[in-house]
Amino acid sequence: MIIKEVRSRIIEDSRGQDTIAVCVNGGAEASSPNGKSTGEYETKSYYKSLNFCVGFLNNFRDKIEINKFDDLVKLEKAICKKLGLGNAREFGANSLYTFQSAVLKALAHEKKKELFEIIGTNRRMPFPVGNVVGGGLHSSAIKIHPNFQEFLVIPKSKRFSDNLKIMNYIYDGVKNILQNHGVNDEGAWLVSSTDEEVFDALNKAKVIAEKKFRVDIEIGIDAATSTLFKNRKYNYTDKKLNQSEQVKFVSELILNYDLSYVEDPFQERDFKNFSKLQKALGKKCLIVGDDLTATQYNRVVGAIRTKSINAMIIKPNQNGSLLELKRIFDLCRKHGVKTVLSHRSGETLDSGLADYAVGFGADYIKCGVATRWREVKLMRLAKIEKKI
Ligand code: PGA
Ligand code: ZN
């Protein structure tokens, strides 16, 4: 396929914030989400500005030939040459990811293939990690809310479509246990409960669902503690903890509430305490890096070397290059680190994330439970499951 026509425009994400959309050769449009609890080490979203990147893409006239995933390297070289960049990621994580994604969608269309078939040879469905109750920065719409950003459920049926049913069942169940004030940025329930009350509610809903569906269901959190960490302390609504108190606190949470998944339990520079926790409880619980690793290859290498994590979040628009994303997936697989492909809190209606999860062979996908921006990805996965 030759890249003949590139069109780009500005659209709004689920929060009404501007983001980039790109269409290549009249194929399906790709777009990029925006994060809110963004990590310090993420790639910048745009080179110069969103407007600059849209203009650059609308004037992209290079007739590059792309026949397979790895040919994206030609695209990266062309961008570097035109803008005088050392690395294509300097073009911006949102702009590069969306451009590459639009190229792959156009290629899939031309080859009469599915997007996931263009990406890789993996044919495995990920387990969904569902954000049921929200807190922290994503729930700042209400004054009193839980400290942790996401309270998650992970149903472990072999069939993705069953997991979808179970996730929705728990989501509805929790609605009847906790009083809610609508939904937050990611479609999770907005509640004015304490963290402990949310854990209890999730556990209750989990026990009922396990009986009904006869499937193991795991519980977890995205603690997103970089947003709680100020003046060398973790600032909770009812306490301030220093670094060693935080290790103890998180360890107790894992044991008391039988957590199987804890994301960002420490702030984004703290490889040391990640490593301590992983050594103590890594057999029982996934110790997941998000802001810590920020989908940057070098930080993943560091996290593996220091044995800081046994799982990590991968967000395409934290990095920008789908080629580097593939290298990160391969590195994680080699070292037994579980991969969690993730949406952002400000999402678009692009369902490509579902195809990337299957194509790259992600172990898990975190893309919410409810609201249409999240549902398009889950529905796409259900459709893919029927095809493979
Ligand atoms: P973000 O949060 O998309 O707002 O960065 C998601 C997360 O921390 O997992
Ligand atoms: Zn996170």
Side-chain angles (χ1 to χ4, degrees), residues 35-37 138 149-150 222 263 290 315 344-345 366:
K36 187 178 195 175
S37 71
H138 289 169
Q149 186 172 285
E150 299 168 18
D222 179 1
E263 183 178 328
D290 175 11
K315 292 168 173 165
R344 302 306 301 257
S345 49
K366 188 167 86 157

Side-chain angles (χ1 to χ4, degrees), residues 154-330:
I154 311 166
K156 287 301 209 35
S157 164
K158 284 200 178 70
R159 284 186 50 194
F160 183 85
S161 53
D162 288 343
N163 287 330
L164 214 53
K165 252 185 240 154
I166 298 165
M167 226 163 50
N168 279 309
Y169 183 82
I170 294 179
Y171 184 78
D172 290 339
V174 167
K175 182 187 177 182
N176 298 324
I177 304 173
L178 293 172
Q179 203 198 351
N180 74 78
H181 307 276
V183 296
N184 75 354
D185 286 359
E186 287 193 352
W189 297 119
L190 263 176
V191 298
S192 40
S193 321
T194 62
D195 298 80
E196 289 73 20
E197 285 167 341
V198 180
F199 281 129
D200 287 337
L202 269 194
N203 241 317
K204 214 182 216 172
K206 166 194 137 126
V207 170
I208 297 170
E210 278 182 334
K211 241 189 216 144
K212 182 174 162 76
F213 295 98
R214 296 175 187 284
V215 165
D216 278 343
I217 301 167
E218 298 178 346
I219 288 181
I221 48 168
D222 179 1
T225 57
S226 290
T227 61
L228 299 174
F229 193 69
K230 273 174 208 96
N231 303 324
R232 306 189 57 77
K233 295 250 170 160
Y234 291 95
N235 290 265
Y236 293 94
T237 40
D238 56 341
K239 57 184 170 284
K240 286 186 200 297
L241 301 181
N242 66 26
Q243 317 240 16
S244 59
E245 288 166 339
Q246 174 73 359
V247 178
K248 189 164 172 271
F249 177 56
V250 174
S251 307
E252 281 167 8
L253 282 180
I254 292 173
L255 296 171
N256 291 347
Y257 294 105
D258 196 21
L259 304 183
S260 309
Y261 177 110
V262 174
E263 183 178 328
D264 283 344
F266 308 104
Q267 49 96 357
E268 61 206 332
R269 295 157 190 247
D270 193 358
F271 285 94
K272 210 171 94 200
N273 282 318
F274 261 93
S275 169
K276 212 182 245 177
L277 185 66
Q278 138 88 354
K279 206 184 247 170
L281 291 168
K283 282 215 168 66
K284 168 182 169 44
C285 182
L286 291 180
I287 311 298
V288 190
D290 175 11
D291 290 345
L292 180 84
T293 33
T295 322
Q296 304 291 316
Y297 190 87
N298 292 341
R299 292 188 70 80
V300 183
V301 170
I304 289 172
R305 186 173 41 78
T306 53
K307 297 192 170 64
S308 301
I309 52 170
N310 54 15
M312 73 168 279
I313 287 279
I314 299 181
K315 292 168 173 165
N317 84 320
Q318 253 181 350
N319 182 296
S321 169
L322 286 170
L323 293 165
E324 187 164 316
L325 229 61
K326 184 168 182 277
R327 285 202 293 275
I328 292 175
F329 271 102
D330 291 345

